[in-house]
């Protein structure tokens, strides 16, 4: 979507977050705790761009938006000791 949407809810136990842009040609931008904005926050490039956060990271909501539609963001979230 080209407007900011919640991708994951707040999670105080989050200790792993994997994001992958499954879109062919549209970048995705993400921000923690605030609405996502184009050209700010975390940019995940089209064509399989990814980000792995495998330590304690922000526990707030993750909000994302795409530069155009269609766009698909793959998300894997982990919790544990």
């Amino acid at each position: 979507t080209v407007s900011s949407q919640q991708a994951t809810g707040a999670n105080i136990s989050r200790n792993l977050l994997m994001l992958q842009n499954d879109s062919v040609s549209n970048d995705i931008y993400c921000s923690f705790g605030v609405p996502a904005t184009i050209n700010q926050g975390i940019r995940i490039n089209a064509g399989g761009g990814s980000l792995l956060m495998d330590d304690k990271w922000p526990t707030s909501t993750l909000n994302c938006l795409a530069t155009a539609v269609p766009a698909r963001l793959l998300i894997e979230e982990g919790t544990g000791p």
Side-chain angles (χ1 to χ4, degrees):
T1 181
V2 292
S3 62
S4 184
Q5 300 289 320
Q6 182 175 313
T8 66
N11 184 347
I12 62 169
S13 299
R14 178 184 299 142
N15 63 4
L16 178 126
L17 188 63
M18 170 73 178
L19 308 173
Q20 184 173 22
N21 186 345
D22 200 33
S23 306
V24 174
S25 58
N26 300 315
D27 295 335
I28 296 175
Y29 289 87
C30 298
S31 294
F32 285 97
V34 296
T37 304
I38 290 177
N39 295 325
Q40 294 184 4
I42 300 166
R43 177 176 141 177
I44 304 171
N45 292 332
S50 62
L51 176 67
L52 172 64
M53 295 180 269
D54 59 353
D55 202 351
K56 282 288 189 186
W57 285 89
T59 58
S60 56
T61 59
L62 176 67
N63 301 299
C64 299
L65 67 81
T67 54
V69 292
R72 182 170 44 190
L73 180 64
L74 306 177
I75 302 169
E76 185 68 35
E77 183 177 43
T79 61

